[in-house]
Amino acid sequence: MSKEEKKIILTGDRPTGRLHLGHYVGSLERRVELQNSGEYDEINILIADDQALTDNADNPRKIRDNIINVVLDYLSVGLDPEKTTICVQSALPALHALTFYYMNLVTTARLTRNPTVKAEIQLRGFEDEGLPVGFFAYPVSQAADITAFNANVVPVGEDQLPMLEQTREIVEKFNRIYGETLVLPKAMIPENEMQRRLPGVDGKAKMSKSLGNCIYLSDTSASVKKQINGRMYTDPQHLRIEDPGHLEGNMVFTYLDAFCKDEYFAEFLPQYACLDEMKEHYTRGGLGDGTCKKFLISILEEILSPIRAERQKWEADIDSVYDILLAGTEKARETTNRTLARVEQAMRIDYFANREIVKEWEELLKK
Ligand code: TRP
């Protein structure tokens, strides 16, 4: 079977913090489904510590500490190292080499136009502080990640679409110049809008640690309750239960859109059969915010409690977690080294792959 025919997934995360509900609903849940679908020949997940360093160069400790948090989150949600290769970016030197070669295929003008990078530059204040070259170029390194694994399917959030665009351009240019070598990848993004972009509990566009509006997969039930009861916005005009309620900007319903399944009604709120019925009652008036929040808390507990239990098990056995990471990284090293060898061959810079060039040089000198 040729590389193109295989179905290979690569995706990844920057290890800058523990993973939260936004990660779960936007990608982790789907990764587990893809893993268990049996439809893919290979699933690779990259802990992108090098990418994380591009804007944390002064704080490698943060990255080092969060590698374990991210792996624990992966294992807790049901990613299975028997089926999914989990690996660490910095330990894959082929990715560095590929990045260096791909940088020649991308202009600074093109990188400047990347909307995600643009937004991140603003967010991090790099406009005033000065922009690190590594950060500016990280989309190129992401192209190296994706192509090194020969991935054709890349499950990511919407914000990563520009990276995929950029990767596809690099692949096309590489193949045009050096001959058909790299696999052209496609992004796979969540269908449900709320799953694509889960806001923070306070309704701010993004869950972020500094805003304190996150619910982490490893949070205790008490803290989940506290976030929802204490910080989650509903409808400020919905003062009495009888008042008609509004759904727009109401985070309880936003979260229900992302997490609710019909079967949860039978279990926790049997007066409704589905979310539409519940919304209808809320809009009409007569359904209190307390009941809605309680329902949401029950759903989140149903999702989070097995994750927490799994995490506890792994936390008690970090030696095994280390072994999983090591084995995954070693396997990924082989895969990515093979791609690098192919790339160097295509670029005709594979001088030491064999001694063929000796003859070539001799011929050249005879002329
Ligand atoms: N940029 C991605 C993010 O911030 C993380 C990432 C790094 C990634 N390398 C990748 C995602 C390769 C998909 C494929 O979430």
Side-chain angles (χ1 to χ4, degrees):
M1 193 157 47
S2 85
K3 284 260 155 30
E4 282 73 18
E5 284 163 321
K6 274 196 166 184
K7 286 170 91 177
I8 299 177
I9 287 181
L10 172 78
T11 187
D13 301 281
R14 297 181 192 179
T16 51
R18 291 182 290 148
L19 302 180
H20 53 58
L21 279 180
H23 295 115
Y24 179 76
V25 83
S27 78
L28 295 173
E29 189 184 22
R30 169 101 81 120
R31 290 181 199 177
V32 175
E33 274 167 28
L34 293 171
Q35 167 193 272
N36 296 336
S37 73
E39 276 179 36
Y40 291 86
D41 297 291
E42 252 182 57
I43 302 185
N44 303 286
I45 301 185
L46 182 71
I47 300 181
D49 62 330
D50 285 338
Q51 190 177 112
L53 281 168
T54 64
D55 63 336
N56 286 285
D58 55 352
N59 195 4
R61 177 94 234 171
K62 172 169 141 192
I63 312 304
R64 185 181 170 93
D65 291 348
N66 279 305
I67 289 177
I68 185 63
N69 275 321
V70 170
V71 191
L72 285 171
D73 286 328
Y74 288 165
L75 296 171
S76 315
V77 298
L79 288 169
D80 173 357
E82 297 283 320
K83 299 180 188 152
T84 295
T85 304
I86 303 173
C87 56
V88 178
Q89 186 178 33
S90 59
L92 305 173
L95 301 182
H96 307 149
L98 290 173
T99 303
F100 202 64
Y101 300 138
Y102 296 171
M103 282 206 274
N104 302 328
L105 308 179
V106 181
T107 64
T108 56
R110 176 63 184 88
L111 280 174
T112 308
R113 268 188 282 125
N114 185 312
T116 300
V117 176
K118 237 190 206 166
E120 287 173 327
I121 287 172
Q122 272 188 354
L123 203 71
R124 286 162 178 72
F126 285 153
E127 274 167 327
D128 313 321
E129 246 176 63
L131 177 59
V133 174
F135 185 84
F136 182 60
Y138 91 72
V140 182
S141 120
Q142 193 156 329
D145 303 341
I146 294 168
T147 54
F149 287 87
N150 307 302
N152 36 24
V153 181
V154 185
V156 280
E158 219 174 10
D159 63 319
Q160 296 296 304
L161 289 177
M163 305 305 155
L164 263 293
E165 222 17 74
Q166 189 112 53
T167 302
R168 290 170 60 89
E169 285 174 29
I170 291 172
V171 167
E172 278 162 355
K173 191 156 184 190
F174 188 100
N175 289 347
R176 198 165 61 240
I177 300 175
Y178 303 112
E180 214 39 59
T181 311
L182 301 174
V183 177
L184 196 64
K186 268 206 186 74
M188 182 193 249
I189 61 169
E191 284 146 34
N192 175 320
E193 195 192 324
M194 280 317 141
Q195 298 184 343
R196 266 184 258 149
R197 245 169 225 280
L198 188 74
V201 291
D202 57 357
K204 295 232 170 73
K206 249 188 140 165
M207 281 204 171
S208 107
K209 190 177 176 178
S210 51
L211 294 173
N213 61 1
C214 294
I215 295 176
Y216 292 102
L217 298 178
S218 46
D219 279 349
T220 61
S221 25
S223 103
V224 173
K225 245 184 223 149
K226 206 169 131 204
Q227 281 288 56
I228 292 176
N229 286 330
R231 299 208 57 188
M232 187 170 265
Y233 280 41
T234 54
D235 171 10
Q237 287 158 12
H238 189 229
L239 299 175
R240 290 168 309 166
I241 291 186
E242 316 82 79
D243 291 340
H246 298 88
L247 302 173
E248 199 162 317
N250 186 323
M251 284 307 111
V252 177
F253 283 94
T254 300
Y255 275 53
L256 287 173
D257 277 331
F259 294 99
C260 190
K261 293 186 185 133
D262 286 350
E263 63 252 36
Y264 292 135
F265 284 99
E267 211 178 333
F268 304 119
L269 202 60
Q271 57 266 48
Y272 310 106
C274 63
L275 190 54
D276 283 340
E277 274 185 22
M278 180 184 176
K279 282 181 178 171
E280 199 276 321
H281 192 188
Y282 188 81
T283 331
R284 180 158 36 95
L287 173 57
D289 288 322
T291 307
C292 302
K293 283 191 168 181
K294 205 168 148 211
F295 180 48
L296 176 61
I297 290 169
S298 306
I299 293 174
L300 294 182
E301 275 310 297
E302 180 97 346
I303 296 172
L304 292 175
S305 62
I307 297 176
R308 266 183 223 124
E310 217 23 49
R311 194 181 225 270
Q312 256 183 357
K313 257 179 26 198
W314 288 108
E315 277 182 2
D317 188 10
I318 298 301
D319 255 314
S320 298
V321 179
Y322 181 89
D323 289 336
I324 287 167
L325 210 50
L326 177 63
T329 302
E330 278 171 349
K331 183 165 173 219
R333 198 177 288 145
E334 281 170 28
T335 310
T336 54
N337 281 345
R338 275 197 300 274
T339 303
L340 178 62
R342 242 176 39 240
V343 159
E344 290 180 340
Q345 189 182 27
M347 294 174 70
R348 314 217 48 204
I349 57 171
D350 57 337
Y351 313 117
F352 303 108
N354 50 51
R355 299 184 69 90
E356 263 171 33
I357 201 168
V358 173
K359 270 205 191 69
E360 211 181 289
W361 280 340
E362 283 168 353
E363 290 299 317
L364 183 77
L365 293 169
K366 267 188 228 156
K367 275 182 203 156

